[in-house]
Amino acid sequence: STSSNPEQYSSAVDWLGRYGYLPPPDPRTSKLQTMEGIERAIRVMQRFGGIQETGVIDSETLKLMSTPRCSLPDIVGSEDMLKRRRRRRRKR
Amino acid sequence: YALSGLKWHKTELTWSLHNFPSPSRSPTLTHELVEGILTHAFKAWSDAAPLSFRRQQSDSGGGDIRVSFFHFLHDDGYPFDGRGGTLAHAFFPGRDEVAGDTHFDDHETWSYGGDGGSTDLFTVAVHEFGHALGLSHSSTDPSIMRPYYQGPVESIHNFQLDLDDRLAIQQLYGVKSDGLPGGVDPDLPVLPNPAPPKPTQPSEPSFPKRCQGGFDAVANIRGEVFFFKGAYFWRTTRDGSLLSLNPAEIKNFWTGLPAGTDKIDAVYERRSDSSIVFFIGSQYWVFKDTVAMSGYPRPLSEWGMIRKSGAVVDRVDAAFIWAHNGKTYLFSRGEFWRFDESRKDGQVTTRPEAGYPRDNSLWAGVPSNMDDIISWGGGDAYFFKDNLYWVLKSGGLNQDIVTPKSIAVDWLRCPAPPSTSTTANPRLPGKCSCDLRD
């Protein structure tokens, strides 16, 4: 349930977005994250990290999310670091 | 392995070291040792592909790969986060000014060998140089390009990349011996052109001002806070980021509400099935994600809320799930009802618990006619009224003095008012509640 521990849930969603498993939020162009979408993202993250695919934020998933790591996203789409950097430069 | 789609179009690369890790945090690393570790990290890649790395002095421009130790904000848009968490990052190859730059978090305790709670500089450097050469994160085990810190290697002198990493770097730059690594032309296919830039839209002046407060409804939905006002809403993330200064139109996001909807009374995310419940007047809608489920709207009377006066409730002012006990609370005209929405036989019951309604005044220290309420943070209850909010700590009900704060400033990125005034106790308008600053 998302309501049972909102802080933990929000942290996990934040983590999934930061490392490319969820699309970046944008109220004008994107939908609210669906539960299915979040579950799918968790599964991809679990598969990528080599832990059991459960689709829920379990203790193994939380442990992996708290493991020190590289800042770059695991799933590099249109929002990869360099493109974001270029866009920011153009704005400046 | 995964490739970023970018590579250096040369094999003789230069690098520079712009500073060293702070001696106070990484006392075991001398300058010579850092230089040696980084040199060996480059060698791991040049052993597997026809690449060469030559060090340049940092004051001569720095070359292709510029290595630095930074902490927190360091002017590249990707701040570090203190000890633990993120350790380092690097920019992919290219012609961009920052291409190849490799940054290590100077709040880590870097070491040679990574024992005693420290982080091994060599393995992290090999990983980051992989990015600087064009590799993305790999899910393969073993691979130095896995995103998580894996601890030190047995010996940096004998270290060799794993097969996954060798195949990746050889796909980009070929193999050292004769032969055809990854095809005749190891260049990657041309990337599609980026989407054309969109012109900046000026702010629509008719949008309701977010800084004025007075929200119709506030809801914590999937970890984000939504502020509804009129036909629009604003949205903030857990870390306090407002996704846009301009609001989004409710009808463009929430599909299934009647045309012309210009006021939401209350919203909450149901605990049992994560559906989202909207209250408008004497009707309610249940949404699966952003789309209303079939069969809605349904009459509010189905919730079985009867006032002390005997009248049937005809509107909901506020709704939230109190994280303290997981129960759902609905408020209307100074009274509130409590529901246990846990699933029973696959059904969600919408009947109030016995002993309700009760007076809103039981929630001491907050306005009795609130605009809306959410559970947030560590389970605290946040009461919103006009442009102020009050926080009742987790499980608290009778906190006589609860100092209100500004919704506009704290949630919606509005400037603070020029001067502070004494805040009134919402229950006793003539009595002031002051803190030291006031």
Side-chain angles (χ1 to χ4, degrees):
Chain A
S1 168
T2 60
S3 306
S4 56
N5 193 337
E7 182 141 29
Q8 187 178 78
Y9 174 81
S10 297
S11 299
V13 170
D14 182 45
W15 191 100
L16 291 168
R18 193 181 318 145
Y19 295 115
Y21 294 98
L22 284 171
D26 183 337
R28 288 174 173 271
T29 59
S30 74
K31 298 286 187 186
L32 178 71
Q33 314 287 12
T34 66
M35 289 310 294
E36 290 81 0
I38 291 172
E39 182 188 323
R40 200 161 46 240
I42 294 168
R43 284 183 182 281
V44 174
M45 175 267 178
Q46 290 167 332
R47 196 182 317 142
F48 201 105
I51 61 174
Q52 190 180 358
E53 265 183 60
T54 62
V56 297
I57 303 167
D58 50 26
S59 58
E60 277 296 292
T61 306
L62 285 171
K63 186 178 167 191
L64 194 57
M65 285 179 166
S66 60
T67 302
R69 56 162 291 154
C70 173
S71 312
L72 264 65
D74 301 337
I75 311 295
V76 181
S78 58
E79 285 296 309
D80 69 59
M81 231 175 179
L82 194 57
K83 287 178 181 170
R84 274 186 283 181
R85 174 76 191 189
R86 283 176 177 158
R87 193 163 55 241
R88 200 166 42 251
R89 189 181 300 279
R90 276 202 299 271
K91 282 181 184 171
R92 215 183 292 146
Chain B
Y1 59 84
L3 304 177
S4 67
L6 298 162
K7 60 171 278 187
W8 298 103
H9 293 278
K10 56 186 177 183
T11 54
E12 294 179 357
L13 299 167
T14 53
W15 68 283
S16 58
L17 180 56
H18 289 251
N19 61 352
F20 292 89
S22 303
S24 58
R25 292 194 183 88
S26 304
T28 62
L29 290 185
T30 63
H31 289 193
E32 292 72 23
L33 193 50
V34 171
E35 290 163 346
I37 288 170
L38 297 179
T39 302
H40 273 86
F42 280 117
K43 182 175 178 293
W45 296 103
S46 59
D47 280 350
L51 294 167
S52 66
F53 298 97
R54 182 171 53 85
R55 187 172 173 195
Q56 276 191 353
Q57 292 306 309
S58 57
D59 55 8
S60 64
D64 302 310
I65 297 172
R66 294 176 294 189
V67 180
S68 308
F69 290 80
F70 289 125
H71 56 260
F72 295 136
L73 289 166
H74 53 280
D75 200 30
D76 68 353
Y78 301 92
F80 286 124
D81 55 359
R83 187 163 186 196
T86 55
L87 302 175
H89 54 233
F91 290 85
F92 295 132
R95 292 175 182 165
D96 199 90
E97 182 188 325
V98 296
D101 283 7
T102 303
H103 301 161
F104 295 89
D105 186 348
D106 198 19
H107 271 130
E108 309 300 335
T109 300
W110 297 105
S111 69
Y112 174 34
D115 55 347
S118 61
T119 306
D120 180 42
L121 178 61
F122 176 74
T123 49
V124 177
V126 175
H127 175 101
E128 297 306 331
F129 294 158
H131 288 314
L133 293 170
L135 274 61
S136 284
H137 283 153
S138 172
S139 59
T140 298
D141 187 12
S143 163
I144 198 70
M145 295 312 294
R146 294 178 73 204
Y148 305 99
Y149 176 62
Q150 302 173 54
V153 298
E154 283 186 9
S155 165
I156 72 170
H157 300 287
N158 301 319
F159 176 77
Q160 286 192 326
L161 293 171
D162 289 301
L163 179 63
D164 186 70
D165 305 312
R166 288 203 307 272
L167 291 174
I169 197 69
Q170 289 170 358
Q171 177 70 30
L172 290 177
Y173 301 102
V175 289
K176 291 195 85 168
S177 56
D178 292 339
L180 301 176
V184 175
D185 180 6
D187 280 349
L188 291 172
V190 177
L191 289 172
N193 291 327
K198 296 175 182 173
T200 303
Q201 298 291 329
S203 177
E204 170 56 60
S206 63
F207 283 149
K209 299 286 191 297
R210 72 184 191 286
C211 298
Q212 293 172 349
F215 297 100
D216 300 328
V218 184
N220 173 2
I221 301 173
R222 313 263 161 89
E224 298 181 344
V225 180
F226 288 66
F227 292 85
F228 295 89
K229 186 175 184 180
Y232 302 92
F233 70 89
W234 290 264
R235 184 174 167 188
T236 69
T237 59
R238 172 186 162 274
D239 63 3
S241 304
L242 184 63
L243 293 188
S244 172
L245 296 178
N246 287 331
E249 285 191 67
I250 292 172
K251 69 179 174 61
N252 286 348
F253 190 90
W254 303 98
T255 306
L257 295 174
T261 295
D262 60 0
K263 186 178 185 299
I264 306 285
D265 288 337
V267 186
Y268 77 99
E269 181 184 349
R270 195 154 65 189
R271 182 175 187 169
S272 56
D273 59 2
S274 291
S275 58
I276 300 155
V277 184
F278 279 71
F279 296 95
I280 303 175
S282 60
Q283 295 178 311
Y284 75 102
W285 285 254
V286 176
F287 277 65
K288 184 179 188 300
D289 304 321
T290 59
V291 180
M293 296 171 70
S294 63
Y296 291 91
R298 298 180 66 86
L300 185 59
S301 57
E302 288 182 351
W303 289 72
M305 291 185 288
I306 307 295
R307 318 188 72 80
K308 285 179 182 169
S309 65
V312 176
V313 167
D314 60 352
R315 79 162 197 233
V316 172
D317 297 328
F320 87 118
I321 294 176
W322 201 12
H324 162 62
N325 58 12
K327 301 287 180 72
T328 306
Y329 291 76
L330 300 190
F331 297 75
S332 178
R333 300 180 194 274
E335 296 173 324
F336 69 96
W337 290 256
R338 190 172 83 176
F339 297 80
D340 182 352
E341 292 194 282
S342 55
R343 278 177 176 268
K344 295 185 176 90
D345 302 326
Q347 296 293 315
V348 176
T349 58
T350 52
R351 308 302 297 180
E353 292 188 353
Y356 291 86
R358 295 185 184 177
D359 288 337
N360 286 6
S361 57
L362 282 172
W363 302 84
V366 302
S368 57
N369 54 343
M370 65 291 286
D371 291 332
D372 216 334
I373 310 166
I374 63 170
S375 277
W376 187 249
D380 301 336
Y382 284 59
F383 289 70
F384 296 86
K385 176 65 180 172
D386 298 330
N387 207 1
L388 295 172
Y389 72 99
W390 291 253
V391 181
L392 288 187
K393 291 296 176 187
S394 180
L397 193 65
N398 290 304
Q399 296 172 220
D400 282 336
I401 304 299
V402 185
T403 305
K405 298 175 184 172
S406 167
I407 300 173
V409 173
D410 292 354
W411 293 87
L412 295 167
R413 294 282 169 253
C414 298
S419 62
T420 59
S421 58
T422 311
T423 51
N425 184 321
R427 287 288 155 68
L428 304 167
K431 186 179 175 183
C432 296
S433 58
C434 306
D435 64 20
L436 287 172
R437 287 171 301 178
D438 291 327

